[in-house]
DNA sequence: CTTGATCCTGTAGCGGCTACAGGATGCACG
DNA sequence: CGTGCATCCTGTAGCCGCTACAGGATCAAG
């Protein structure tokens, strides 16, 4: 139930904030726990009460997450855009590095896409003992350097 | 019994297997724990001893990981390519779906790259109160549907 | 006052590893 | 045969960014 008369003296409960910002309730509490978000005031019973600013901040965070910024970067962005009113140059630095990462990732994905689509194209779909996909995977190339390479989830 | 005997004769310790396959020692043990990899025989003292086949399998896994397959998919691929000698069609199905995912991700990254590069380009780098990057992030668009959307790490 | 929606804290789990701690083993060399 | 030390063992906890409970407490409408 959404009380239309919400924001009584600008006191949004967490569910309302969630709806307005597009951020999951559990995630909001998580952000508070890791101190990405300041702890809000509470009702006497202990329920969180947020203001309009919180909606903006959370929406900002959500958008930045959608753009692939991680929480460390977002924390930095929030600090920069915060009370100190730091330089746009610093923000640009973060964004530029991030852009660089994105381009690298796209290039990787591109290579991968070409390899995989070429391989799949060779597939007959029949029950064959020599499957091109498995073949490609089986050609273990460079046992590449000892690495903390980590390989991110797909 | 043909070449199996040969591979049994040489018993690779885990460190050797790691070097040959390019997979981290800890990761190999992890794969064993989650049963992606069969438990190998051991020395009397309890040290793992691997054969040549294990090098192939691990290299296969590593390569598939590099191509962005997740462990569930890899497990399926291993099963398919395994004793049952299943159809190439099944393998193709997995690979095709995966290819689809890759393309979707590339498209997303492309949009993101365009938005971010356009935005960064507008940056003066000066200490300005109105930073284009922060502006873009601040325009919270659709407070999109209640979601288990999750947004993957960058 | 009762209901039931919303909220609270705390903890555990996901994937795919990585990083220890605190020991046991294997093997070359003297 | 002893010694030293590289490698190995198990087990547990941590990383990120959430998500999903359990087991209650609170709030507001009727």
């Amino acid at each position: 139930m959404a009380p239309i008369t919400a924001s009584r003296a600008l006191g949004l409960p967490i569910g309302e904030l969630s709806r307005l910002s597009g951020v999951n309730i559990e995630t909001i509490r998580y952000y508070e726990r890791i101190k990405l978000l300041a702890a809000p005031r509470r009702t006497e019973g202990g329920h969180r009460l947020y203001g309009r600013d919180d909606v903006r901040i959370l929406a900002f965070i959500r958008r930045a997450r959608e753009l692939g910024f991680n929480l460390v970067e977002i924390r930095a962005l929030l600090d920069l855009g915060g009370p100190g009113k730091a330089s746009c140059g610093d923000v640009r630095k973060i964004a530029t590095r991030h852009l660089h990462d994105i381009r690298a990732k796209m290039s990787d994905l591109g290579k991968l896409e070409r390899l995989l689509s070429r391989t799949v194209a060779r597939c007959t779909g029949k029950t064959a003992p020599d499957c091109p996909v498995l073949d490609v995977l089986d050609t273990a190339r460079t046992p590449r350097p000892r690495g903390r390479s980590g390989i991110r989830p797909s």
Side-chain angles (χ1 to χ4, degrees), chain A:
Chain A
M1 243 201 279
I4 308 170
T5 54
S7 72
R8 194 168 59 101
L10 290 156
L12 304 165
I14 198 168
E16 201 74 13
L17 177 62
S18 170
R19 250 163 270 130
L20 290 173
S21 65
V23 176
N24 205 314
I25 290 182
E26 316 265 36
T27 306
I28 294 173
R29 287 199 281 249
Y30 168 71
Y31 285 162
E32 182 181 329
R33 207 160 59 240
I34 65 168
K35 288 173 199 212
L36 186 64
L37 212 59
R41 64 198 177 91
R42 305 263 188 154
T43 65
E44 282 192 19
H47 287 200
R48 291 170 180 81
L49 281 182
Y50 296 92
R52 282 282 155 205
D53 282 355
D54 296 306
V55 180
R56 264 191 69 229
I57 292 173
L58 264 182
F60 178 99
I61 294 173
R62 178 171 69 79
R63 189 125 174 79
R65 287 292 297 129
E66 281 170 16
L67 290 181
F69 288 90
N70 63 33
L71 294 187
V72 171
E73 290 167 329
I74 291 175
R75 207 186 290 268
L77 288 174
L78 285 174
D79 285 353
L80 290 176
K85 288 294 172 199
S87 80
C88 177
D90 289 339
V91 173
R92 192 165 93 131
K93 211 174 288 173
I94 296 176
T96 302
R97 184 167 41 222
H98 183 56
L99 190 52
H100 196 271
D101 289 353
I102 290 173
R103 287 185 176 140
K105 197 164 298 172
M106 282 185 65
S107 151
D108 282 357
L109 279 181
K111 282 178 207 151
L112 210 145
E113 193 270 346
R114 281 188 293 282
L115 173 59
L116 207 57
S117 69
R118 257 187 288 121
T119 308
V120 168
R122 292 201 291 123
C123 261
T124 62
K126 290 182 180 173
T127 302
D130 41 296
C131 169
V133 175
L134 293 182
D135 272 5
V136 165
L137 290 174
D138 224 347
T139 23
R141 317 235 160 138
T142 41
R144 42 125 79 146
R146 313 282 311 110
R148 55 219 70 267
S149 73
I151 309 174
R152 286 276 129 229
S154 80

